[in-house]
Amino acid sequence: MDSKKRRITRQRFVVEQKHRCCYCGRVFGPKGSLLEATIEHLKPLADGGSNRQENLAAACRHCNQHRGRQMQSSRFRGF
């Protein structure tokens, strides 16, 4: 996915999720911070997940980096 499409996709998820992380529910912060919005694969690509919209959500950088394979998509808050 090119950077423009990635930015548009991320912004769409941020708005749909009311500017909150899909895992912790914190309001997204400025670029470069641990609360910066990132695109998260709910089911990791390594586990057979896809890049389809249904498998993507916006997560803060902290949750995305610390999620690893431990968190399950059942923790997804859904907005």
Side-chain angles (χ1 to χ4, degrees):
M1 185 182 306
D2 66 56
S3 62
K4 182 178 179 181
K5 186 173 182 178
R6 203 171 21 250
R7 187 175 65 249
I8 291 168
T9 300
R10 181 176 49 244
Q11 188 59 35
R12 183 174 70 86
F13 281 110
V14 166
V15 170
E16 285 177 4
Q17 293 173 204
K18 300 178 176 86
H19 300 270
R20 294 187 174 273
C21 174
C22 67
Y23 293 113
C24 68
R26 292 182 286 190
V27 175
F28 292 119
K31 186 173 183 171
S33 75
L34 284 177
L35 294 178
E36 174 184 6
T38 63
I39 291 296
E40 168 70 349
H41 288 87
L42 299 174
K43 181 176 183 179
L45 295 174
D47 289 341
S50 70
N51 285 321
R52 296 179 56 111
Q53 300 294 316
E54 306 83 44
N55 190 44
L56 301 176
C60 69
R61 181 166 306 284
H62 178 267
C63 286
N64 199 340
Q65 288 177 342
H66 291 90
R67 179 175 177 256
R69 302 180 122 211
Q70 300 163 355
M71 289 178 142
Q72 301 296 320
S73 48
S74 61
R75 288 197 53 189
F76 176 67
R77 291 178 176 256
F79 290 90

